[in-house]
C-alpha cells in the first residue's frame, strides 16, 4: 500500500500559542496537514527530518529568530517555500526577511483571509526545482517507452491511462529520470526522497517501487524499465 500524500503539509513556527493554534485551526479547515513548533531550533530539526510543502515562520522567536532559521535553510539548499510573519512595528523585517530567503510575508497582526490566500499562492507556485528533463521544457514532461511523467503537474501516462502520481512516486521517478541506467541504492532514495538517511527500514522504498511497477510495467516480474539490483537497489532503463 502506498500512502496518498497529496495533502500539503505546513510547518507553523510560532511561539505565541494562541496565534499558532488559531493558524493551525484555520489551515486545517483548508485540509492542510499542520504541525506547530514553538522555536527556531525545533523548526530546523523538523525540517531536517521531514519534507514540508510550506513553512509559516514567525520572525520573533526565542533562541534563533526567523531570519536565522530562513537563512540557514537556504544555505543548506533547502528551498521549501517560506511565508514570514513580520511585525508591523519593524518595517525593516520585510527587507531582512526577503533577503534571508523568504518567499513572501504577512504583517502581524495579519488578516486571516490574506494569510490563507498567500499560503495558497505559495503552494500553487511550488514546482519541482532542478533540471528539467526531456525535450518539452514547458511541461517538464519526460517520456520513456509507452509512458511519460510530467514533473510539473505530477500527471503521468500509466497502464491505467493518465492519472496523478503521489509525491513520493514522482520524486522517485525524478531520480530515475536524472540517473538513467545507473544503479541507485535504496539508501540514496531514502536520503533524497524521504530525507531519512538512517532509516532502518527500506520497506517504504520497496512499496513505492511496487506502485511504480504497477503503473509502468506490463509484467512486474520481468520489468522493462524498473530493474532490481540484488542487495543494492534499482536501475532504471528508459
Ligand atoms: Ca513570536
Amino acid at each position: 500500500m502506498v500512502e496518498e500524500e497529496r495533502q500539503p503539509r505546513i510547518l507553523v513556527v510560532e511561539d505565541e500559542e494562541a496565534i499558532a493554534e488559531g493558524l493551525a485551526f484555520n489551515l486545517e479547515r483548508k485540509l492542510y496537514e499542520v504541525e506547530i513548533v514553538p522555536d527556531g531550533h525545533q523548526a530546523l530539526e523538523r525540517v531536517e527530518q521531514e519534507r514540508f510543502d510550506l513553512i509559516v515562520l514567525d520572525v520573533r522567536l526565542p533562541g534563533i529568530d526567523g531570519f536565522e532559521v530562513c537563512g540557514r535553510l537556504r544555505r543548506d539548499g533547502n528551498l521549501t517555500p517560506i511565508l514570514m510573519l513580520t511585525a508591523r512595528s519593524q518595517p525593516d523585517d520585510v527587507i531582512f526577511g526577503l533577503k534571508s530567503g523568504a518567499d513572501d510575508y504577512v504583517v502581524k497582526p495579519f488578516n486571516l483571509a490574506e494569510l490563507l490566500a498567500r499560503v495558497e499562492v505559495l503552494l500553487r507556485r511550488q514546482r519541482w526545482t532542478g533540471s528539467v528533463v526531456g525535450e518539452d521544457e514547458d511541461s517538464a514532461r519526460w517520456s520513456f517507452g509507452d509512458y511519460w511523467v510530467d514533473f510539473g503537474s505530477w500527471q503521468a501516462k500509466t497502464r491505467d491511462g493518465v492519472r496523478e502520481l503521489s509525491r513520493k512516486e514522482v520524486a522517485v521517478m525524478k531520480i530515475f529520470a536524472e540517473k538513467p541506467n545507473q544503479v541507485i541504492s535504496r539508501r540514496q532514495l531514502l536520503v533524497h526522497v524521504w530525507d531519512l538517511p538512517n532509516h532502518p527500514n527500506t520497506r517504504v522504498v520497496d512499496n513505492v517501487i511496487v506502485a511504480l511497477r504497477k503503473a509502468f510495467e506490463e509484467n512486474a516480474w520481468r520489468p522493462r524499465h524498473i530493474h532490481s539490483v540484488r542487495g543494492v537497489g534499482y536501475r532504471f532503463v528508459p
Side-chain angles (χ1 to χ4, degrees), residues 173-207:
M173 289 308 283
K174 185 139 201 295
I175 291 176
F176 285 158
E178 284 165 355
K179 298 181 185 304
N181 303 309
Q182 295 179 38
V183 176
I184 296 158
S185 69
R186 287 188 181 80
R187 198 186 130 81
Q188 269 176 295
L189 291 173
L190 278 173
V191 171
H192 293 289
V193 178
W194 280 267
D195 282 343
L196 295 170
N198 302 313
H199 202 283
N201 188 342
T202 55
R203 210 183 310 149
V204 287
V205 177
D206 298 328
N207 287 345

Side-chain angles (χ1 to χ4, degrees), residues 111-138:
N111 170 296
L112 183 66
E114 183 194 342
L115 184 139
L116 293 174
R118 288 181 188 272
V119 163
E120 216 172 287
V121 168
L122 283 177
L123 286 171
R124 211 184 310 139
R125 203 197 287 165
Q126 192 188 15
R127 288 279 181 269
W128 280 92
T129 51
S131 59
V132 171
V133 286
E135 286 124 47
D136 190 349
E137 289 209 343
D138 286 336

Side-chain angles (χ1 to χ4, degrees), residues 14-16 58-62 108:
E14 169 63 89
D15 56 314
E16 284 151 278
D58 187 34
V59 165
R60 312 274 164 230
L61 294 167
K108 264 177 156 181

Side-chain angles (χ1 to χ4, degrees), residues 48 91 109 159:
E48 206 175 291
R159 290 178 55 223

